[in-house]
Amino acid sequence: MPLSAPPVDSARGSALYQEVLEFYARQMRSLDEGRVTEWAATFTEDGVFSAQAHPRPQEGREAIRQGAAEAVRRLAERGVRRRHWLGMLDVTRHGDGSLTARSYAQVIDTPIGGQAAVELSCTCEDLLVREGDRLLVRHRRVDRDDLPRP
Amino acid sequence: MPLSAPPVDSARGSALYQEVLEFYARQMRSLDEGRVTEWAATFTEDGVFSAQAHPRPQEGREAIRQGAAEAVRRLAERGVRRRHWLGMLDVTRHGDGSLTARSYAQVIDTPIGGQAAVELSCTCEDLLVREGDRLLVRHRRVDRDDLPRP
Amino acid sequence: MPLSAPPVDSARGSALYQEVLEFYARQMRSLDEGRVTEWAATFTEDGVFSAQAHPRPQEGREAIRQGAAEAVRRLAERGVRRRHWLGMLDVTRHGDGSLTARSYAQVIDTPIGGQAAVELSCTCEDLLVREGDRLLVRHRRVDRDDLPRP
């Protein structure tokens, strides 16, 4: 992978890069605002969400929806507002039209009436595919920076 | 609102999205570096800046300038450098050419000689309009994550 | 410098802006993952990296590589994962094709087994040049928000 995409590639990729940025903005906000069915719909029907924080990968939209609903419930019980920030995005296009999107992620927690803080720093690697005119996550892997890596 | 803008829309919107990103970079830096007249000039003459931290909305450039000058003065007295980060941007275009820009915001404070920390996590919703070749904020609403919502 | 680039300029600049975003994503990840030769190769052969945290500017790729290797070693000894986030990017093009890229930077540290936190807030100003199809840093200046400015 070149350190910097050539200009012609960059020109073609500009709209795509922006589309991925906006996809993440909407996807993460749906989770952070507790719209878990909308969140699950940003994965493919057979989407997989793998994270060290999960005892096992969430496989399929229903498992992903249930996992999010459980996380939203726990945060509400603790009176915490959570924001997922993705940044430092790097997008690689594959021959079949799918994308690998690598990013950094910050989880910012704010207790209602309390002090905001960085809760977690992670890396995120997604395989994105297009269905109709929408991008969807087929596979997501999140690695927390506080946990040892195999 | 679709979860992911269609490609054609995304292609048309790419330059606009980048323009909004760069607008925010310049706007926030003007505030963070204490150039409050330049900051106020990024709002329309009748611009409104509404935030829970404000006892009432700041209405019009002069009120926005005065509010910023007061905030800059207080931070200087405390010896604190403040940085406003906007991220997770989602832009919606309206038929009249105006834009709704929704984003997350982090306020990072660093006392001179001290430790940086996340001071606040917020959401920001702007109505942006074009005057000549410039984007301006006609209405801004900032909601802090640490405060209860009505 | 206008507060907001005119639309025609913005349209021409969109691919470039995205290219700079992606350049930073890859550059910073190479440093954060300890690939210091790859990191040094994102500077020109005569590149200069100036930061208050350095006793003197790092001049040339070899000095930049050595400086990074030393920083990576110290972090590993302390069991800390470091992430550099750049954001709030503002790009200005010059007549000779070079770019000034101004950004905010966050350094997020996570001790393995410990709690992530914002370690530093900084500003970054780069002079970027193109060699072949790649962007490279000819000069970087990083200013920490916790240190007094001259």
Side-chain angles (χ1 to χ4, degrees):
Chain A
M1 187 169 55
L3 288 174
S4 163
V8 58
D9 192 47
S10 175
R12 282 204 306 268
S14 182
L16 188 62
Y17 191 85
Q18 172 266 334
E19 187 183 1
V20 176
L21 287 177
E22 202 150 14
F23 170 77
Y24 283 137
R26 293 174 182 176
Q27 185 194 42
M28 290 304 166
R29 192 181 275 250
S30 69
L31 176 62
D32 294 340
E33 298 186 347
R35 290 176 273 112
V36 297
T37 300
E38 188 176 323
W39 157 259
T42 65
F43 290 78
T44 60
E45 186 60 46
D46 62 350
V48 175
F49 182 4
S50 168
Q52 300 144 309
H54 302 161
R56 68 192 68 81
Q58 298 170 351
E59 303 189 345
R61 274 191 189 144
E62 179 52 24
I64 290 168
R65 191 197 62 75
Q66 285 179 20
E70 174 64 15
V72 166
R73 190 185 58 74
R74 284 196 305 265
L75 289 167
E77 283 177 358
R78 296 169 46 214
V80 167
R81 281 212 186 88
R82 173 162 288 185
R83 300 286 172 193
H84 291 82
W85 288 63
L86 294 193
M88 305 304 282
L89 174 68
D90 179 21
V91 177
T92 304
R93 275 157 294 162
H94 304 295
D96 63 357
S98 65
L99 310 171
T100 295
R102 303 169 79 222
S103 58
Y104 287 175
Q106 287 182 30
V107 177
I108 309 281
D109 277 1
T110 309
I112 312 296
Q115 177 61 52
V118 181
E119 174 67 13
L120 289 172
S121 167
C122 309
T123 53
C124 178
E125 181 166 328
D126 280 350
L127 178 64
L128 301 176
V129 296
R130 192 178 299 281
E131 286 190 8
D133 57 10
R134 294 169 54 193
L135 291 178
L136 297 176
V137 180
R138 177 165 286 160
H139 189 278
R140 168 165 296 174
R141 178 194 171 93
V142 174
D143 286 301
R144 285 168 44 172
D145 284 337
D146 62 322
L147 299 180
R149 305 230 167 142
Chain B
M1 186 168 55
L3 287 174
S4 163
V8 57
D9 192 48
S10 175
R12 283 203 305 268
S14 182
L16 188 63
Y17 191 86
Q18 172 267 332
E19 188 185 0
V20 176
L21 287 177
E22 202 149 15
F23 169 77
Y24 282 137
R26 294 175 182 177
Q27 184 193 42
M28 291 303 166
R29 192 180 274 252
S30 68
L31 176 62
D32 293 341
E33 298 185 348
R35 291 177 272 113
V36 297
T37 301
E38 188 176 323
W39 158 258
T42 64
F43 290 79
T44 59
E45 187 58 48
D46 62 349
V48 175
F49 183 3
S50 168
Q52 299 144 310
H54 303 160
R56 68 192 68 80
Q58 298 169 351
E59 302 190 346
R61 274 190 189 145
E62 178 52 24
I64 290 169
R65 192 197 62 75
Q66 285 180 20
E70 174 66 14
V72 166
R73 190 185 58 72
R74 283 195 306 265
L75 289 167
E77 283 176 358
R78 295 169 47 213
V80 167
R81 281 211 187 89
R82 174 162 288 185
R83 301 286 173 193
H84 291 82
W85 288 61
L86 293 193
M88 305 304 282
L89 174 67
D90 178 22
V91 177
T92 304
R93 277 158 291 162
H94 305 295
D96 63 357
S98 65
L99 311 171
T100 295
R102 302 169 80 219
S103 57
Y104 287 176
Q106 286 182 29
V107 178
I108 309 280
D109 278 1
T110 309
I112 312 296
Q115 176 62 51
V118 181
E119 174 67 14
L120 289 172
S121 167
C122 309
T123 53
C124 178
E125 182 166 329
D126 279 351
L127 179 64
L128 301 176
V129 296
R130 193 177 298 282
E131 285 190 8
D133 58 10
R134 294 170 54 195
L135 291 178
L136 298 176
V137 180
R138 177 166 285 160
H139 189 278
R140 169 164 295 175
R141 178 193 171 93
V142 174
D143 286 300
R144 285 168 45 172
D145 283 339
D146 62 322
L147 298 180
R149 305 229 167 143
Chain C
M1 187 169 53
L3 288 174
S4 162
V8 56
D9 192 48
S10 174
R12 283 203 305 267
S14 182
L16 188 62
Y17 191 85
Q18 173 266 332
E19 187 184 1
V20 177
L21 287 177
E22 202 149 13
F23 170 76
Y24 282 137
R26 293 173 183 178
Q27 185 194 42
M28 292 302 165
R29 192 180 276 250
S30 69
L31 176 62
D32 293 341
E33 298 184 348
R35 292 177 271 113
V36 298
T37 300
E38 188 176 324
W39 159 259
T42 64
F43 290 79
T44 60
E45 187 60 48
D46 62 351
V48 175
F49 183 4
S50 168
Q52 299 143 311
H54 303 161
R56 69 192 67 79
Q58 298 169 351
E59 301 189 347
R61 275 191 189 143
E62 179 51 24
I64 290 169
R65 192 198 60 76
Q66 285 179 19
E70 174 65 15
V72 166
R73 192 185 57 74
R74 283 196 306 266
L75 288 168
E77 283 176 359
R78 295 168 47 214
V80 167
R81 283 212 186 88
R82 174 163 289 186
R83 300 286 173 193
H84 291 82
W85 288 61
L86 293 193
M88 304 305 281
L89 173 67
D90 179 22
V91 177
T92 304
R93 276 158 291 163
H94 304 295
D96 64 357
S98 66
L99 311 172
T100 295
R102 305 169 78 223
S103 58
Y104 287 175
Q106 286 181 31
V107 178
I108 309 280
D109 277 2
T110 309
I112 311 296
Q115 177 62 51
V118 181
E119 174 66 14
L120 288 172
S121 168
C122 308
T123 54
C124 178
E125 181 166 328
D126 279 350
L127 179 64
L128 301 176
V129 297
R130 192 178 298 282
E131 285 189 8
D133 59 10
R134 293 171 53 194
L135 291 179
L136 298 176
V137 179
R138 177 166 287 160
H139 189 278
R140 168 165 297 176
R141 176 193 172 92
V142 173
D143 286 301
R144 284 167 45 170
D145 284 338
D146 62 321
L147 299 180
R149 305 228 167 141

